[in-house]
Amino acid sequence: MEIIRTVADMKARAAAWKAEGLSIGLVPTMGSLHEGHESLMDAARAASDRVVVSVFVNPIQFGPGEDYEAYPRDLERDARICERRGVDVVFHPEVDDMYAPAHNTFVVMETLTDSLCGASRPGHFRGVCTVVTKLFNIVQPHRAFFGQKDAQQLAIIKRMVADLNMNVTVVGCPIVREADGLAKSSRNAYLSAEERQAALVLSRAIFAGKAAVEAGERDAAALKALMGGIIEAEPLARIDYVEVVDGVTMQPTDAIGAMALVAMAVYIGSTRLIDNFLYEEGE
Ligand code: PAF
């Protein structure tokens, strides 16, 4: 496995692979890799001749006061994990190489980014869409793999790829959970032992909401009340949002329709965690 540290070298490697007729799978990450990322690598490995994992903490998707500086960085550990999963290249560019001082172009999406995390984190998805577009242009993947845990991000990237006629297939992969239910996240590392226990309230609310929908609940307000009540019972938890949106447009809805996303962001202490489930009629 190789670590490529410049945009120019990564572009040259991707071009050489393409000239050989090899298919490329990309797993975009910000590092601090966990089993959720590993499942994306496995999916990429199974579907591609060459697998690239990008490890880049993207400054422009963090707002003022967010955790850009504190975001855990450990390339050696990440590289070991990638090597174990049979990754061919870790792409780890410098910030200045990705964003030259004169950088002045951004990818901005309209309404899909208004709700959920887009409402709580203004500018976040502008940063995500911009860096993902750049990664697609640099790595030239045939397929790119994203986790369903960031459900709005996945919906937005699928929309962006369709809208801008990008030559890449976006593959969504299921949420990976700890044995006790907590969704795997790089930010779980911020939790104290007490907070780690309190964080289980997210998956408890998700499982209760899912069970209610499976039992026939279709009223979004009732569902939000049920899930919100579970979270509010945990003293260390503070709700950012619990929302029901259309699974494609990401717009809030009053009733669970053919495809709905039930999503939440909750602060446990000062750590903001997200979780969700997708309801698809007939699934
Ligand atoms: O999901 C993430 O880790 C990031 O948002 C991504 C897609 C790697 C872009 O920086």
Side-chain angles (χ1 to χ4, degrees):
M1 193 191 73
E2 192 182 355
I3 299 179
I4 294 185
R5 293 172 188 271
T6 71
V7 169
D9 287 350
M10 187 66 247
K11 285 180 86 166
R13 179 58 48 84
W17 284 340
K18 285 212 145 176
E20 285 181 64
L22 299 171
S23 67
I24 303 174
L26 171 65
V27 180
T29 82
M30 298 204 300
S32 189
L33 302 177
H34 51 68
E35 288 89 337
H37 296 113
E38 291 183 54
S39 74
L40 304 181
M41 294 178 211
D42 291 348
R45 184 68 284 164
S48 329
D49 296 319
R50 295 289 180 268
V51 175
V52 177
V53 173
S54 59
V55 174
F56 179 65
V57 185
N58 175 35
I60 69 164
Q61 71 185 70
F62 290 80
E66 290 190 351
D67 56 345
Y68 173 65
E69 298 297 342
Y71 201 84
R73 292 161 172 85
D74 187 346
L75 184 66
E76 269 180 35
R77 179 185 167 277
D78 288 344
R80 277 198 303 275
I81 292 172
C82 290
E83 183 134 45
R84 254 200 338 258
R85 305 312 311 181
V87 168
D88 296 289
V89 163
V90 170
F91 175 46
H92 181 58
E94 295 292 332
V95 171
D96 292 355
D97 197 12
M98 287 292 276
Y99 299 109
H103 184 98
N104 202 20
T105 304
F106 299 88
V107 180
V108 179
M109 186 169 292
E110 304 278 322
T111 54
L112 266 79
T113 59
D114 290 348
S115 57
L116 308 179
C117 292
S120 309
R121 303 182 67 190
H124 170 66
F125 286 117
R126 168 184 181 267
V128 170
C129 288
T130 301
V131 80
V132 169
T133 299
K134 288 168 73 70
L135 290 168
F136 286 175
N137 285 335
I138 294 163
V139 178
Q140 298 282 311
H142 296 79
R143 295 183 187 81
F145 298 80
F146 295 86
Q148 178 64 34
K149 185 168 87 62
D150 294 290
Q152 187 179 19
Q153 170 171 280
L154 177 59
I156 285 170
I157 289 166
K158 282 185 175 166
R159 183 77 263 147
M160 178 181 82
V161 162
D163 288 353
L164 299 183
N165 310 102
M166 293 175 167
N167 288 324
V168 54
T169 301
V170 175
V171 183
C173 299
I175 296 176
V176 179
R177 296 181 181 280
E178 304 283 357
D180 60 8
L182 181 67
K184 302 259 184 191
S185 164
S186 303
R187 291 190 167 99
N188 292 348
Y190 297 148
L191 301 170
S192 68
E194 194 192 359
E195 289 170 342
R196 171 67 183 74
Q197 198 54 33
L200 290 177
V201 75
L202 279 92
S203 51
R204 262 207 310 279
I206 287 291
F207 298 153
K210 195 161 188 275
V213 172
E214 281 165 5
E217 181 61 79
R218 292 292 175 272
D219 181 53
L223 195 62
K224 288 191 276 188
L226 168 76
M227 296 170 65
I230 293 172
I231 297 163
E232 277 160 6
E234 168 50 62
L236 292 185
R238 181 169 56 85
I239 295 175
D240 180 4
Y241 65 76
V242 177
E243 196 50 273
V244 182
V245 297
D246 177 276
V248 176
T249 65
M250 298 289 116
Q251 296 309 298
T253 174
D254 292 338
I256 308 276
M259 190 181 175
L261 175 71
V262 181
M264 60 170 62
V266 176
Y267 285 93
I268 302 292
S270 58
T271 303
R272 185 176 176 279
L273 300 176
I274 57 173
D275 204 343
N276 70 77
F277 69 93
L278 191 64
Y279 168 75
E280 285 183 87
E281 213 164 60
E283 287 279 303

